[in-house]
Amino acid sequence: MIRISNLAKSFTLHNQGGAVIPVMAAASLRVAPGECVGLTGASGAGKSTLMRLIWGNYLAAGGSILVGDLDVAQAAPRDIIGLRRTTLGYVSQFLRVVPRVPTIEVVAEPLLTLGLPADQARARAASLLARLNIPERLWALSPTTFSGGEQQRVNIARGFAHAYPALLLDEPTASLDVVNREVVLNLIGEAKARGAAILGIFHDEAARARVCDRLVDVGTFTPKADA
Amino acid sequence: MTDQAYNFAYLDEQTKRMIRRAILKGVAVPGYQVPFASREMPMPYGWGTGGVQVTAACLVPEDRLKVIDQGADDTTNAVSIRKFFQRTAGVAVTEATTAASIIQTRHRIPETPLHEGQILVYQVPIPEPLRFLEPRETETRKMHELEEYGLMHVKLYEDIARHGTIATSYAYPVKVEGRYVMDPSPIPKFDNPKLSDSPALQLFGAGREQRIYALPPYTQVVSLDFDDHPFDPSKAAHDCDLCGAAASYLDEVIIDDQGGRMFVCSDTDFCRGRREAGHVGALGVPLAEGGM
Amino acid sequence: MGAAELSILAKQKQTEQPLLAVRGLTKRYGRRIGCAEVSFDLFAGEVLGIVGESGSGKSTLLSCLAGHLAPDAGTVVFDTADGPRDTVRMAEAERRRLARTDWAFVHQNPRDGLRMGVSAGGNVGERLMAVGARHYGQIRAQAVDWLGRVEIAADRMDDRPSAFSGGMQQRLQIARNLVTGPRLVFMDEPTGGLDVSVQARLLDLMRGLVREMGLSAIIVTHDLAVVRLLADRLMVMQGGQVVEQGLTDQVLDDPQHAYTQLLVSSVLQV
């Protein structure tokens, strides 16, 4: 489902004398449907960079990133937008929403964007929020006022609202209590069971061991210092 | 007696030709505002300088002129314009609607039906019906050109929203031959139906704004309205207290300090004609006995 | 959920005809460049953000796109009901008809986009009347509906916009523009001059409308937070030139051009 070959990434800092900083080279990786692959490596090794390259908000310097049959490294913005709407989901570490929008709407939005009727979208959002133990009295409030753990659960609910065939998970269980961590791990398990290809970053080793079928060390993708 | 110091009807011949050309263009394009080089007249703007120039350009020595202001032949404005043309053109004058060949009017159309061959000249203060919502002349001209008349209905919409009905009671906008939206000058909307299909030629002159427009005889003129708020040419629910006319436009006259009042025809010639024919209103006395 | 969703997905493999196709659009002011050689496609349902500082040419570009300004060169092909047409070369009457039917324009200053002497209801009703609505009751019903959609209470509909707050005026301007169901909305700094909390409400409203009506929009702004939340794609302008364009979060998170890097790094967190 996700096939990365020979991927390279560098940053050019025009405002710092045009310094070119290579951060990734010759990265290759595959995630099959129903499989969960965990990214490992030291902090700064490029785990989040790889996720962003796949999501498309980082521009690849070379190589290819096939999600389904779309090469994100080459695709037009319009196609990436379509991919994100229908195929590729992303649970980032931070919730980024329009202030003052009710939580239930935030979670339902990916489904509304797909054209699902509002009542069905809200019903699905409500069941996820309930499952993630967000008290119903908070659903009508904006998540911007919530605690870190609550925001993270809203973010997860939003990421799991639609049954994406491919999912990127950036620390989905961080800052969660035991009960909610269990809910999230079950959600991941269910997504795998329905055939989703999942690529994740898990610092929580127990969680990693439980859901990941394989691990990939991004440290091997770091360019040689003299390159 | 003509004052020989003036050319016939005050204006020089070149100016009259210029105005006649504007009139002919107006007749050719009913409802379209034709710009013309309005002259200074020996009376202030707002006293009918546009109408006077149109009348001057139309007058021939054989004409018989009638001038009315709010329907009356004997108010200051009417009297001074009538005297102006008696002195500068030496034409005959009349107060009888049927006897006149040219009628200059401010704010009324005579009650007596007009006939073919007559010319009705309106004095117009603001010729642009779109002006009150769109102050830019460049834009209003463009709107006429492209028939973008939605704004006219916004005005009527605002009336209904605020008053429950279309409260515009004078200068009520009309559409001419399905094309141009036109301001009929500040005549009461009661007179609007008389604009349409009239046997007479109707000419409109705005002196300060330098515009002439026209309705040739038998032109179709429709008052704008909404499907669910149709045009209603209403008048006071009263009969004329002098002549008893039920269907003429009325003025309300205060007659004492106790709040006493009477309603009389605004068209003085029409009222006198009816009383001469023997009609008597609630407060009137038969004319033969020398009453009002 | 599966079956219903699949049919929806299938529908989204839409037509490939862009709603707006811009090629080589150029406008000069004497020797100075307003905007130069701008080209892009906008598809149905897409929101394009145009950012840049004052004088970068973004407002000139928007004016040329919306037909308020005649460009010196280039084409702006809009997919009209009768097929693709170059709006630069079409007759003015036709372009103005587009402007009151398929297009809408939301000005930064509501005073430029509203009739301040006309009630809120009349402001919303004007476009309906301009396209031939002649039933007062129906016009009013549609005005109430639209005022509700932009969260203006029905009992304010006979008030003039001068009695409204800035945020309400802006929402009224949006209602007035969208009542005839346009397909493309031009917005010039739509949240400029509004308090942050009022901006948020407006942003949410615009997002919802874009989604529900399948609107396409072109939004000119210097506020990167606004485009982050509203725009699918972003175009960065400097000195009349487009220096970078792409997916909004890509341009903001991984800017390639020196100017964009400067622009992004100059902003507190977006």
Side-chain angles (χ1 to χ4, degrees), chain C residues 188-205:
Chain C
D188 188 6
E189 302 274 8
T191 60
L194 297 178
D195 290 344
V196 176
S197 66
V198 179
Q199 279 190 21
R201 192 167 170 197
L202 197 69
L203 286 175
D204 177 44
L205 176 73

Side-chain angles (χ1 to χ4, degrees), chain A residues 108-140:
Chain A
E109 196 188 16
L111 296 171
L112 293 172
T113 307
L114 277 168
L116 212 66
D119 52 343
Q120 288 181 36
R122 285 204 193 92
R124 168 88 179 139
S127 78
L128 275 165
L129 287 169
R131 203 169 155 194
L132 284 155
N133 300 304
I134 302 287
E136 190 166 350
R137 64 189 158 78
L138 298 182
W139 295 359

Side-chain angles (χ1 to χ4, degrees), chain C residues 147-193:
Chain C
L147 290 173
R149 287 161 87 162
V150 299
E151 301 167 29
I152 294 175
D155 64 0
R156 301 298 304 271
M157 85 176 297
D158 293 330
D159 293 345
R160 293 186 178 180
S162 46
F164 289 0
S165 68
M168 271 174 89
Q169 288 181 1
Q170 200 58 300
R171 280 181 275 132
L172 177 61
Q173 197 192 172
I174 289 173
R176 167 182 161 88
N177 268 286
L178 298 190
V179 65
T180 49
R183 294 191 290 149
L184 175 58
V185 186
F186 301 100
M187 297 191 186
D188 188 6
E189 302 274 8
T191 60

Side-chain angles (χ1 to χ4, degrees), chain C residues 2-170:
Chain C
E5 211 164 300
L6 280 179
S7 76
I8 291 160
L9 294 185
K11 249 189 289 179
Q12 277 177 344
K13 288 269 173 198
Q14 305 154 342
T15 52
E16 289 301 307
Q17 175 69 42
L19 185 68
L20 195 72
V22 180
R23 293 292 176 272
L25 202 64
T26 300
K27 173 74 185 172
R28 292 187 194 83
Y29 301 105
R31 280 220 180 124
R32 274 193 328 105
I33 292 172
C35 59
E37 291 290 327
V38 177
S39 301
F40 65 89
D41 286 332
L42 183 75
F43 290 84
E46 272 187 340
V47 178
L48 173 70
I50 304 176
V51 297
E53 55 201 23
S54 313
S56 62
K58 57 190 197 299
S59 293
T60 295
L61 174 60
L62 193 71
S63 296
C64 287
L65 294 173
H68 297 172
L69 206 58
D72 297 316
T75 56
V76 179
V77 176
F78 180 73
D79 187 23
T80 70
D82 310 322
R85 299 279 313 280
D86 182 5
T87 61
V88 173
R89 269 148 206 91
M90 73 174 38
E92 188 181 11
E94 219 179 336
R95 192 161 54 234
R96 283 173 68 119
R97 197 171 310 125
L98 267 187
R100 358 177 245 278
T101 53
D102 277 348
W103 291 358
F105 198 106
V106 176
H107 295 262
Q108 172 176 13
N109 187 340
R111 284 169 183 278
D112 296 334
L114 291 173
R115 292 196 190 274
M116 299 304 282
V118 170
S119 69
N123 264 289
V124 176
E126 181 177 345
R127 265 174 84 111
L128 294 171
M129 293 182 249
V131 296
R134 291 293 179 265
H135 191 284
Y136 175 82
Q138 288 166 9
I139 293 166
R140 208 163 160 81
Q142 271 186 278
V144 169
D145 175 43
W146 265 97
L147 290 173
R149 287 161 87 162
V150 299
E151 301 167 29
I152 294 175
D155 64 0
R156 301 298 304 271
M157 85 176 297
D158 293 330
D159 293 345
R160 293 186 178 180
S162 46
F164 289 0
S165 68
M168 271 174 89
Q169 288 181 1
Q170 200 58 300

Side-chain angles (χ1 to χ4, degrees), chain B residues 10-291:
Chain B
Y10 185 77
L11 293 173
D12 63 90
E13 292 304 309
Q14 283 302 321
T15 297
K16 285 195 275 187
R17 285 177 62 180
M18 176 270 292
I19 294 173
R20 285 175 198 139
R21 279 197 290 266
I23 291 171
L24 286 173
K25 185 168 180 182
V27 168
V29 191
Y32 171 69
Q33 299 167 49
V34 185
F36 79 109
S38 178
R39 298 294 194 246
E40 291 289 332
M41 298 303 285
M43 60 191 73
Y45 288 127
W47 285 67
T49 55
V52 165
Q53 290 178 77
V54 170
T55 299
C58 291
L59 274 179
V60 293
E62 298 76 33
D63 269 321
R64 186 174 293 272
L65 178 68
K66 169 182 164 79
V67 184
I68 52 174
D69 174 6
Q70 305 270 18
D73 293 86
D74 53 2
T75 52
T76 316
N77 194 247
V79 169
S80 68
I81 291 173
R82 190 161 57 233
K83 280 196 173 153
F84 174 79
F85 281 117
Q86 280 180 289
R87 184 166 166 196
T88 61
V91 291
V93 296
T94 180
E95 295 191 2
T97 298
T98 48
S101 57
I102 295 186
I103 304 169
Q104 181 169 334
T105 179
R106 173 176 176 267
H107 297 191
R108 274 313 307 277
I109 298 176
E111 303 287 356
T112 310
L114 302 175
H115 55 77
E116 283 185 9
Q118 287 184 307
I119 300 176
L120 183 60
V121 177
Y122 297 77
Q123 303 171 198
V124 181
I126 298 168
E128 179 49 71
L130 299 162
R131 177 66 67 240
F132 96 110
L133 282 174
E134 178 50 69
R136 292 167 296 179
E137 173 73 13
T138 48
E139 185 64 17
T140 54
R141 283 208 211 185
K142 186 67 75 182
M143 290 159 93
H144 282 295
E145 177 193 340
L146 303 177
E147 288 187 70
E148 293 180 0
Y149 289 132
L151 205 51
M152 242 24 269
H153 276 86
V154 173
K155 177 177 154 58
L156 301 180
Y157 169 95
E158 290 290 286
D159 260 12
I160 304 174
R162 201 158 304 146
H163 307 288
T165 60
I166 298 176
T168 300
S169 57
Y170 64 93
Y172 191 106
V174 295
K175 196 163 202 183
V176 179
E177 288 288 337
R179 177 58 182 85
Y180 284 97
V181 165
M182 185 189 98
D183 183 329
S185 88
I187 59 171
K189 68 177 176 178
F190 173 82
D191 282 344
N192 269 26
K194 296 182 205 144
L195 291 163
S196 190
D197 207 33
S198 171
L201 170 63
Q202 303 175 78
L203 303 175
F204 300 78
R208 181 181 44 212
E209 302 285 326
Q210 311 195 320
R211 292 290 184 276
I212 284 171
Y213 49 103
L215 297 173
Y218 304 109
T219 298
Q220 187 207 38
V221 179
V222 177
S223 302
L224 301 182
D225 61 5
F226 286 103
D227 297 345
D228 49 343
H229 285 267
F231 174 72
D232 172 25
S234 61
K235 64 175 276 274
H238 228 277
D239 294 345
C240 173
D241 285 326
L242 290 180
C243 76
S248 78
Y249 192 71
L250 302 174
D251 286 337
E252 185 178 356
V253 182
I254 306 294
I255 50 176
D256 56 34
D257 290 342
Q258 279 70 54
R261 57 196 185 150
M262 63 189 293
F263 290 91
V264 297
C265 291
S266 110
D267 185 335
T268 52
D269 170 60
F270 175 76
C271 197
R272 183 174 54 245
R274 279 181 54 86
R275 291 166 70 206
E276 281 170 358
H279 298 284
V280 181
L283 300 177
V285 289
L287 202 58
E289 294 175 20

